[in-house]
Structures are given as structure tokens and as C-alpha cells.
């Protein structure tokens, strides 16, 4: 049971981009699948780089209507390793709502800032003393300056056990990035907005992007310093 889950799921549906961060073994991936569950019950498919009984075969994932909707949840385990700032990743984030895609990134390492608008961090759990409860802190800060934050409590996280392999080291996330980049291009073609990018533009990071990543790193450092002072 998720206490405070309605608010979190409402934000996830509105913004479509979520990063679940925190310590290793803290329940990040478990929460990712738990948050995906209500969408899957509504008919969304699941694309993930980790073994799961809920996962769909990528070859079966395609648009469900003439508008270019995918009705898809993407879970990327340790997605921060692959979701770096580049044209492909930017387009994935930009078209998430139009294509009806929800991205949930469970990763110790932070993904590109596009996916950090809505963040959920593991605070603490009591698994070591066999109390089935985990506390999370969530925060929202969009590009227009709107901000909010709150607490999410998950009672009985064991309800999700067996849905995915906790030991699976996960496949190369670049395959998901390439798959979604192709779907973005197909979506644009439906509206005669195709703009094939040269491989160099896809793979190389511009000076502007380097500066943006540096700014992201400074922001993360400030957040960490603030938490240390509060202690």
C-alpha cells in the first residue's frame, strides 16, 4: 500500500518523467514497478531493460492509434548511465506526453536534467529489523519554477517481489534509447515534421549542453550541502 501515492501518481501522470534515486539496495527499482502498476492495469505496455514478468517484447510495441500514442511505461534500471544530455534523450523527454509515454528512471547515478523534474529519493527502510515499510521523499520543480514536495510511504513492499529479477544486472540501456528515438522520429513523420539528424549531432555534446550539465552538477552539490547543514 502506498500512503501518499495518489499525489505521486498524479504528478507522474502530469509530468511523465520521474527519477527515483538513493542508495544501492534501497528499493528504487521496486518502487519503479509499483508506480508503473496502475498504468499497466489501464492497458499501458511496459518497456524495460530488466527482466520482468510484466515486460512486453519491444517488437510488439507500436502506436495504438493514428495520433501517435504509444500508451507505454518505460522503466530504465540504472538509467543514469545512459540517459545523458543529447538530442535523442532531449526528444524522448520533450514528446513524452504527446506520445503517451511515462518514463520512470531508477538509478543511483542521476540522469539528464530533463528526467529530474520529478524526483523521488529513498529516505530509509526497516527491512533489517523485518518491518515492511520504506519512506521516500519526493520533490517537484518544473521549468516554470513551480515547486512542491512531500513524503511517500510504502507499506509492504513485498507485494511487488517476484515481478522482476533483483539480481539481473540489466541490459544495455542504449537499446531502449535507440528504440525510443526511432519511435520519436516515426511520431514526427506522422505530422510531417521529420528532421533526420546527422549521427554527429546525435552523438556529440555541444558546448551549451556541457555548460548545462555543469550547472546540473552545481545544483546537486548545493542540495547535498544543504542536507549536510541540516544534520
Amino acid at each position: 500500500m502506498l500512503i501518499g501515492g495518489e499525489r505521486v501518481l498524479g504528478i507522474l501522470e502530469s509530468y511523465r518523467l520521474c527519477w527515483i534515486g538513493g542508495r544501492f539496495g534501497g528499493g528504487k527499482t521496486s518502487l519503479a514497478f509499483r508506480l508503473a502498476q496502475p498504468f499497466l492495469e489501464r492497458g499501458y505496455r511496459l518497456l524495460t531493460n530488466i527482466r520482468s514478468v510484466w515486460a512486453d517484447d519491444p517488437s510488439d510495441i507500436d502506436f495504438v492509434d493514428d495520433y501517435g500514442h504509444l500508451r507505454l511505461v518505460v522503466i530504465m534500471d540504472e538509467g543514469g548511465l545512459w540517459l545523458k544530455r543529447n538530442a535523442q534523450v532531449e526528444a524522448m523527454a520533450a514528446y513524452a506526453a504527446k506520445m503517451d509515454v511515462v518514463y520512470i528512471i531508477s538509478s543511483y547515478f542521476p540522469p539528464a536534467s530533463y528526467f529530474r523534474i520529478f524526483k523521488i529519493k529513498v529516505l530509509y527502510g526497516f527491512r533489517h529489523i523485518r518491518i515492511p515499510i520504506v519512506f521516500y521523499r519526493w520533490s517537484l520543480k518544473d521549468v516554470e519554477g513551480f515547486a512542491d514536495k512531500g513524503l511517500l510511504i510504502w507499506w509492504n513492499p513485498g507485494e511487488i517481489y517476484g515481478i522482476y529479477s533483483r539480481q539481473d544486472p540489466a541490459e544495455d540501456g542504449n537499446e531502449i534509447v535507440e528504440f525510443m528515438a526511432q519511435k520519436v522520429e516515426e511520431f514526427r513523420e506522422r505530422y510531417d515534421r521529420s528532421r533526420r539528424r546527422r549521427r554527429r549531432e546525435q552523438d556529440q555534446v555541444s558546448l551549451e549542453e556541457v555548460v548545462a550539465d555543469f550547472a546540473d552538477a552545481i545544483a546537486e552539490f548545493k542540495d547535498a550541502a544543504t542536507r549536510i547543514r541540516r544534520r
Side-chain angles (χ1 to χ4, degrees):
M1 178 176 64
L2 291 177
I3 302 172
E6 288 187 7
R7 177 63 173 149
V8 167
L9 288 169
I11 295 172
L12 181 58
E13 180 140 24
S14 296
Y15 285 88
R16 303 297 178 118
L17 310 169
C18 176
W19 170 40
I20 304 174
R23 61 184 175 81
F24 291 110
K28 300 184 296 296
T29 306
S30 294
L31 182 62
F33 279 92
R34 179 61 182 84
L35 294 179
Q37 186 176 11
F39 292 93
L40 304 183
E41 291 173 349
R42 288 161 45 194
Y44 281 67
R45 281 83 54 82
L46 175 64
L47 177 65
T48 180
N49 63 332
I50 192 167
R51 288 188 179 90
S52 169
V53 297
W54 288 350
D56 289 274
D57 190 313
S59 63
D60 295 329
I61 297 174
D62 206 348
F63 300 105
V64 299
D65 55 32
D66 293 334
Y67 298 103
H69 295 141
L70 283 172
R71 288 187 67 79
L72 180 67
V73 176
V74 177
I75 294 178
M76 288 189 68
D77 191 50
E78 294 306 332
L81 297 175
W82 299 287
L83 291 173
K84 301 303 183 183
R85 188 182 288 268
N86 60 47
Q88 285 183 325
V89 171
E90 182 181 37
M92 288 166 55
Y95 291 109
K98 291 181 183 295
M99 296 174 64
D100 198 3
V101 180
V102 176
Y103 292 94
I104 306 176
I105 314 304
S106 55
S107 179
Y108 174 80
F109 301 99
S113 58
Y114 320 122
F115 293 89
R116 302 205 307 266
I117 294 172
F118 181 36
K119 298 187 289 188
I120 303 176
K121 290 292 185 71
V122 180
L123 288 181
Y124 44 84
F126 297 92
R127 186 171 59 182
H128 61 292
I129 55 175
R130 298 189 177 182
I131 298 177
I133 191 169
V134 184
F135 290 79
Y136 303 86
R137 173 73 67 183
W138 61 264
S139 61
L140 170 69
K141 187 173 183 181
D142 66 20
V143 295
E144 296 180 350
F146 175 78
D148 198 2
K149 60 183 178 180
L151 187 68
L152 175 66
I153 303 172
W154 189 5
W155 173 258
N156 189 28
E159 65 182 308
I160 214 74
Y161 292 170
I163 299 302
Y164 73 98
S165 172
R166 294 172 59 87
Q167 291 300 112
D168 185 7
E171 293 181 357
D172 187 338
N174 284 320
E175 294 184 8
I176 290 182
V177 173
E178 292 290 339
F179 178 86
M180 293 307 301
Q182 178 60 37
K183 291 302 177 186
V184 167
E185 193 61 37
E186 292 174 11
F187 172 77
R188 290 183 56 82
E189 288 174 353
R190 285 172 176 257
Y191 292 88
D192 295 322
R193 293 288 189 266
S194 180
R195 53 177 184 184
R196 296 284 181 181
R197 298 181 180 90
R198 290 173 297 172
R199 173 58 62 178
R200 182 179 60 82
E201 292 174 330
Q202 293 178 338
D203 293 341
Q204 291 188 351
V205 179
S206 68
L207 177 60
E208 179 183 354
E209 290 166 343
V210 171
V211 171
D213 273 342
F214 181 75
D216 291 343
I218 294 296
E220 288 292 322
F221 177 79
K222 288 182 178 179
D223 288 344
T226 299
R227 290 194 296 270
I228 293 173
R229 284 198 299 270
R230 286 175 180 172
R231 292 175 185 174

